[in-house]
Amino acid sequence: MESVLSKYENQITIFTDYLEDFPDTDELVWILGKQHLLKTGGTGPSSDAGWGCMLRCGQMMLAQALICKHLGRDWNWEKQKEQPKEYQQILQCFLDRKDCCYSIHQMAQMGVGEGKSIGEWFGPNTVAQVLKKLALFDEWNSLAVYVSMDNTVVIEDIKKMCCILPLSANRATENPTGSPNASNHSKGTSACCPAWKPLLLIVPLRLGINQINPVYVDAFKECFKMPQSLGALGGKPNNAYYFIGFLGDELIFLDPHTTQTFVDTEENGTVDDQTFHCLQSPQRMNILNLDPSVALGFFCKEEKDFDSWCSLVQKEILKENLRMFELVQKHPAHWPPFVPPAKPEVTTTGAEFIDSTEQLEEFELEEDFEILNV
């Protein structure tokens, strides 16, 4: 799944790799009529090898959510078979081009707002925050991305994000004399929720200090059984994997550490999708070898899917004495008020909004508790 950055964006010359071995200096080097800055090679990163694996895993999880939304959870890819137009549209979201919503360029640049330099390794929480912010600019998929805080999922906040009220209901809430308080809104949300914005729910967790605590193993495995599951992001220090299931005490994962060449849209509007799918069988690792910093993913296309997920969590996760995470009905009183995220007002459109680091300052930095990178 890992690929070389866009050839059109970088304009790499044949000399770039060799320039990396030259002295670290601000002086320009001239080769065949072209100047190069030795500190950067004049190109920026030409590959995400060595730093992009967690970003690629985040792309995998999100792509699975989009497949569930547009094609259904039972859909399977078949090699050299004509695919639905929605499938091609999903691929367009992940091309290694700056103008694609969830490209490696966009994710890396948005990471600047999370305190990560371009080329710096991400952890699962950072990827979750990046996806949440990029989704605000994705009108076609129109996902509500909720990333839990402090190991707590708040039902009231998710309902506020996902329930699309009719215009008449919105006007009613603007009336000071008729607007319900938070408690009444929470109770009545399901009854007045004619439309549900599909939910990508990401739960970043720390399941131990230096290694996963065995008391969390059973609950962690239960999450893969849920019909809403999108797997988990995690791995080992500086080595990310996309976990999709388990067999006994072994986790099944997809490994993004295979460098692929850049592919672009062909003349007929389709994409050569061979490298977007597994080129080798999924691998396995003992669950106790997992780094304790992980992020669980779930997709709820409809409100009933979310309600069902809440029931499963109550039954399978919250029964444990040492709970993996909490599920609460009300927004905690000691937290800042919850405001559903909205697209900031910017003058550019689409993916170009993150060209300026000044615009990144409009986003609040999230707590980054992961310590995967040693």
Side-chain angles (χ1 to χ4, degrees), residues 23-28 37-39:
D24 185 16
T25 176
D26 291 326
E27 292 188 39
L28 295 176
L37 183 61
L38 290 179
K39 284 192 173 181

Side-chain angles (χ1 to χ4, degrees), residues 304-322:
K304 64 180 182 181
D305 298 325
F306 177 64
D307 293 338
S308 174
W309 180 83
C310 291
S311 298
L312 288 170
V313 170
Q314 292 278 0
K315 180 181 178 181
E316 303 296 342
I317 305 299
L318 302 186
K319 67 180 181 181
E320 303 293 337
N321 292 328
L322 187 58

Side-chain angles (χ1 to χ4, degrees), residues 217-226 246 316-317 319:
V217 167
D218 289 340
F220 189 71
K221 289 161 62 174
E222 283 295 330
C223 293
F224 291 99
K225 297 181 182 179
M226 298 178 180
F246 71 93
E316 303 296 342
I317 305 299
K319 67 180 181 181

